[in-house]
Amino acid sequence: MPQFIRKKSRKSFPVKVCTLDAELEFSLEWRATGRDLFDLVCRTIGLRETWYFGLQYEDAKGFISWLKLDKKVQDQVVSQQTITPFMFLAKFYPEDVADELVQEVTQHLFFLQVKQAILSMDIYCPPEASVLLASYAVQAKYEDYDETTYKPGMLASEDLLPQRVIDQYQMTPEMWEDRIKIWYADHKGMSRDEAEMEYLKIAQDLEMYGVNYFPITNKKNTDLWLGVTALGLNMYSKDNKLTPKANFPWSEIRHVSFDEKKFVIKPVDKSASNCVFFSKKVRMNKLILDLCIGNHDLFMRRRKPDTMEVQQMKTQAKEEKSRRQIERNKLAREKQLREAAEREKTALEQRLLQYQEEIRLANEALRRSEETAELLAEKSRVAEEEAMLLSQKASEAEQELARMRLTAMKTEEEKINLEKKTREAEQLTARLVDESERRAFEANRLKDELLKARLAEKEAKEKLLEFLSRNTYISTSMNSLYNSAAPTLSATDLTSYELTPDTDMMQLSLEIEKERVDYLEKSKHLQNQLRDLKSEIEVLKIGEKQCELDLLHDEQVRLGETKYSTLRKVRSGSTKARVAFFEDL
């Protein structure tokens, strides 16, 4: 192994810490301990629930290790890289995330780590549960589903499902997206921290959640898995990491120790023999012991009254939750006002368009009425001129008739001719009189129509004036509505919308009391949805693509077994019997 010589003149060295959602770089003094670096990271990200976390790194041999807090960083880490890299990860898991995780930053770090473990398939998750978890992850990232802004394909490009799930079904990314979107739309109104907590509540029921696995052998040299958890130690067969064969809760363990590769668990029951197993590396036993000590300390801590620090954090978290709830209620009210204003604005705009169309039609009708009136006036003028001409011709005919009568007496022949012409003149006169009367009647009729047309023109103009007055009223109403409905951040608005603290706290208390019942009802609803989705996609499953864990999980479901019922079953019986069973595996 190459040796690295540190220069004495070097007073500081750089380190890089990744927290899954950020990269932090620090410059440490060469005497800095692991505690110094750990506290620096916690202060930087504002974390107070520090007992769950640790700094992980890869040593010179490629072995994953946790930084010891009581030793110097430089004495533990030997790296050829310019900047020493660390991962800030959860080292220990809570028994119940909803009861134990207080800070929002703590919940967020656990969410990121568990999500990564599920997507990388370090934690087995059945397909239907993967879709549900993906919907909560989308809600945490994008907040409420909005049909107007949602674009098809937006989720298909996200890393939301384990590759194992995608490979074992004949489904396109768009088909998976449609199923995730259905549940995503159901989470409307849920904040980021609430969505992340719902994700963790579901994830903690997965069999491999919170389990650190180590390959071991028993006295018969049978290959097994040791699982270190928040509740105790689990023993698994080599081909099944889901269902433990034996379990030793922390309350039944008196002492744990190792000697080289041999690891010994001493039960509280003195009549039971020690549980002995072997690991392949001494360093693995050191890590197992470290995890056992840390998980046991937290196990005992949970069963004692909360420390002052935890009580303070819970009080602050409750107050912060109340404040956020008040703020969300206020934002919801403002959103409702904005939506109502938008709806009213849209309605007014539609009415304005309708009135504008009516005005256009009225103007068109007025124009046609004016053209008709002009045409009728012209016809009336022509008829009057024709009537006057006919009247003049009738007068001339009468004068001609009188002259003819004066000369009629001259001769009989002339008289006969005169009588004949007289009859013809009388007939012509009668026709002219009739035509004159008809023209006069037509002129009167045209005058009446002209009068009616002018009355219609007057009515159209009055209606146009009425529409224009309405339009002015609508514009004024819209301006008034915009001024009254648009929310602002002035001190007056904040005061007018703010609820009194006592009322809000009472409201929050009632919501918390109902939370348990609502959650149970929601869980029942989710279980039904999960069954429906499983039945829906079952026909698209590719049987040969299923892995061993899928088959084991399906068998557990068929038998009606869950993570917790399995633990109760393997924990039954005396410690002595369980030790004997483990040795006979």
Side-chain angles (χ1 to χ4, degrees):
M1 181 185 75
Q3 296 182 353
F4 303 96
I5 301 175
R6 300 187 181 91
K7 296 181 181 180
K8 293 184 179 180
S9 60
R10 189 178 182 185
K11 295 182 179 180
S12 64
F13 60 96
V15 296
K16 180 173 66 176
V17 179
C18 179
T19 65
L20 294 183
D21 65 345
E23 286 189 356
L24 309 174
E25 293 188 4
F26 305 101
S27 180
L28 295 179
E29 294 183 357
W30 68 275
R31 292 181 179 180
T33 63
R35 172 65 64 184
D36 294 330
L37 177 58
F38 183 77
D39 290 344
L40 182 59
V41 175
C42 292
R43 285 196 304 271
T44 302
I45 64 177
L47 178 69
R48 295 179 65 184
E49 295 175 275
T50 59
W51 44 87
Y52 294 112
F53 298 90
L55 289 167
Q56 193 180 88
Y57 67 98
E58 185 176 324
D59 63 14
K61 295 183 179 181
F63 193 81
I64 299 299
S65 302
W66 293 94
L67 188 68
K68 293 180 176 61
L69 302 183
D70 56 347
K71 293 185 179 181
K72 293 181 180 179
V73 176
Q74 289 285 49
D75 292 341
Q76 301 179 68
V77 181
V78 178
S79 175
Q80 291 180 323
Q81 300 184 37
T82 305
I83 301 179
T84 305
F86 292 94
M87 292 292 295
F88 188 82
L89 299 172
K91 188 176 181 180
F92 308 105
Y93 286 78
E95 294 179 23
D96 190 328
V97 291
D99 291 339
E100 296 180 44
L101 300 184
V102 180
Q103 281 189 290
E104 186 176 334
V105 63
T106 312
Q107 298 172 14
H108 183 60
L109 290 174
F110 267 98
F111 164 75
L112 294 176
Q113 187 165 333
V114 173
K115 177 187 172 186
Q116 184 184 69
I118 290 175
L119 294 179
S120 62
M121 296 176 284
D122 291 332
I123 296 177
Y124 172 78
C125 184
E128 61 277 9
S130 300
V131 175
L132 178 58
L133 291 177
S135 68
Y136 282 115
V138 172
Q139 178 70 21
K141 182 175 181 179
Y142 294 105
E143 295 185 345
D144 289 349
Y145 170 78
D146 189 347
E147 189 174 359
T148 59
T149 59
Y150 180 85
K151 296 180 180 179
M154 185 175 75
L155 303 182
S157 59
E158 295 279 340
D159 189 12
L160 297 173
L161 297 173
Q163 191 61 41
R164 171 188 54 80
V165 173
I166 297 174
D167 292 340
Q168 65 181 265
Y169 289 90
Q170 294 177 332
M171 295 175 63
T172 63
E174 290 74 19
M175 295 170 69
W176 285 117
E177 179 180 4
D178 289 340
R179 282 150 182 82
I180 293 173
K181 185 177 68 175
I182 292 172
W183 269 326
Y184 170 35
D186 287 343
H187 304 328
K188 189 172 184 179
M190 191 177 291
S191 62
R192 190 197 78 167
D193 57 303
E194 289 173 337
E196 291 180 350
M197 179 53 70
E198 291 298 322
Y199 187 103
L200 291 174
K201 284 179 183 178
I202 296 171
Q204 73 179 354
D205 292 337
L206 300 176
E207 289 84 351
M208 295 177 68
Y209 167 87
V211 182
N212 288 287
Y213 292 93
F214 299 94
I216 60 170
T217 57
N218 60 5
K219 290 180 180 180
K220 291 187 176 181
N221 203 30
T222 304
D223 289 333
L224 302 169
W225 289 103
L226 169 70
V228 184
T229 73
L231 296 173
L233 300 176
N234 296 336
M235 310 298 176
Y236 301 85
S237 61
K238 190 63 177 177
D239 57 352
N240 187 352
K241 284 186 175 182
L242 296 183
T243 309
K245 296 295 184 181
N247 170 263
F248 299 95
W250 298 121
S251 58
E252 297 181 8
I253 298 176
R254 179 165 54 92
H255 184 70
V256 291
S257 62
F258 71 91
D259 181 12
E260 294 295 329
K261 297 181 181 180
K262 179 181 179 180
F263 202 99
V264 180
I265 302 174
K266 293 183 179 180
V268 174
D269 185 2
K270 295 183 179 180
S271 64
S273 59
N274 295 337
C275 180
V276 179
F277 59 83
F278 303 89
S279 66
K280 297 181 179 180
K281 296 180 181 179
V282 176
R283 297 195 65 170
M284 185 180 296
N285 273 346
K286 291 181 180 180
L287 180 56
I288 292 172
L289 181 62
D290 182 30
L291 291 175
C292 287
I293 294 173
N295 275 298
H296 181 266
D297 288 345
L298 287 176
F299 178 83
M300 299 302 295
R301 178 175 180 169
R302 294 184 190 104
R303 283 144 185 83
K304 295 178 182 179
D306 290 337
T307 63
M308 289 297 296
E309 182 184 10
V310 174
Q311 290 179 29
Q312 182 188 30
M313 283 194 296
K314 287 186 176 180
T315 301
Q316 291 177 349
K318 187 176 181 180
E319 292 173 352
E320 180 65 18
K321 183 177 180 180
S322 175
R323 186 192 64 77
R324 285 201 303 267
Q325 184 64 39
I326 293 171
E327 187 66 23
R328 280 200 295 269
N329 291 339
K330 179 183 174 182
L331 291 175
R333 287 193 296 270
E334 291 178 349
K335 184 178 180 181
Q336 289 175 356
L337 288 174
R338 285 196 298 271
E339 290 176 351
E342 288 296 327
R343 288 194 297 270
E344 187 67 20
K345 174 186 173 184
T346 302
L348 287 173
E349 287 177 346
Q350 290 177 350
R351 288 169 58 188
L352 178 61
L353 291 175
Q354 181 181 355
Y355 288 152
Q356 288 176 343
E357 180 63 18
E358 291 181 4
I359 290 171
R360 188 188 65 79
L361 294 176
N363 285 329
E364 184 69 20
L366 178 62
R367 184 184 61 78
R368 288 196 299 269
S369 298
E370 290 174 348
E371 292 177 353
T372 303
E374 291 176 358
L375 181 60
L376 290 175
E378 180 66 21
K379 287 184 177 180
S380 176
R381 185 183 61 77
V382 172
E384 287 179 354
E385 292 178 353
E386 289 179 350
M388 289 177 64
L389 181 62
L390 290 174
S391 178
Q392 183 179 358
K393 287 184 177 181
S395 178
E396 292 177 352
E398 287 179 354
Q399 292 175 2
E400 180 68 20
L401 180 61
R403 285 194 302 270
M404 291 176 67
R405 284 177 179 173
L406 291 174
T407 57
M409 302 301 295
K410 293 181 178 180
T411 59
E412 188 67 24
E413 184 178 353
E414 289 178 347
K415 183 180 180 180
I416 294 171
N417 291 333
L418 181 60
E419 288 176 354
K420 182 178 178 181
K421 289 182 180 180
T422 299
R423 285 194 300 270
E424 291 176 353
E426 288 176 350
Q427 290 176 359
L428 177 61
T429 301
R431 285 197 304 272
L432 290 174
V433 170
D434 291 338
E435 182 66 18
S436 175
E437 290 176 351
R438 189 181 66 79
R439 293 290 183 177
F441 177 78
E442 180 68 18
N444 291 332
R445 186 182 65 78
L446 291 174
K447 286 181 180 180
D448 292 337
E449 288 184 5
L450 177 61
L451 179 61
K452 290 179 182 180
R454 286 176 177 170
L455 289 175
E457 178 182 356
K458 181 179 179 181
E459 290 176 357
K461 288 181 178 179
E462 290 175 351
K463 189 172 181 180
L464 177 60
L465 292 175
E466 182 182 353
F467 287 153
L468 293 176
S469 63
R470 283 187 193 175
N471 189 17
T472 305
Y473 170 74
I474 292 168
S475 301
T476 307
S477 300
M478 290 179 66
N479 292 332
S480 175
L481 178 64
Y482 296 158
N483 293 332
S484 62
T488 65
L489 296 179
S490 66
T492 304
D493 288 342
L494 287 174
T495 304
S496 64
Y497 288 131
E498 186 174 359
L499 299 174
T500 59
D502 292 340
T503 305
D504 294 321
M505 289 300 292
M506 186 180 300
Q507 179 73 16
L508 181 61
S509 300
L510 292 174
E511 291 175 0
I512 293 173
E513 289 176 6
K514 294 178 181 178
E515 186 175 316
R516 187 69 177 173
V517 177
D518 293 341
Y519 179 72
L520 292 175
E521 186 65 27
K522 183 179 179 182
S523 297
K524 183 178 179 181
H525 175 65
L526 287 177
Q527 291 299 326
N528 293 333
Q529 285 184 305
L530 287 171
R531 281 195 296 271
D532 293 342
L533 177 61
K534 185 175 181 180
S535 302
E536 181 183 351
I537 64 177
E538 189 70 22
V539 295
L540 301 172
K541 183 184 291 185
I542 305 174
E544 58 271 19
K545 293 285 187 177
Q546 283 191 291
C547 66
E548 187 66 25
L549 292 176
D550 290 313
L551 300 176
L552 292 171
H553 174 75
D554 290 343
E555 181 63 18
Q556 277 188 295
V557 172
R558 189 184 66 81
L559 296 174
E561 296 288 349
T562 64
K563 172 183 179 178
Y564 304 104
S565 64
T566 303
L567 284 176
R568 286 194 298 269
K569 186 180 294 185
V570 299
R571 195 178 294 170
S572 61
S574 65
T575 305
K576 183 177 180 179
R578 275 178 274 147
V579 172
F581 177 76
F582 168 71
E583 292 177 347
D584 290 337
L585 286 174

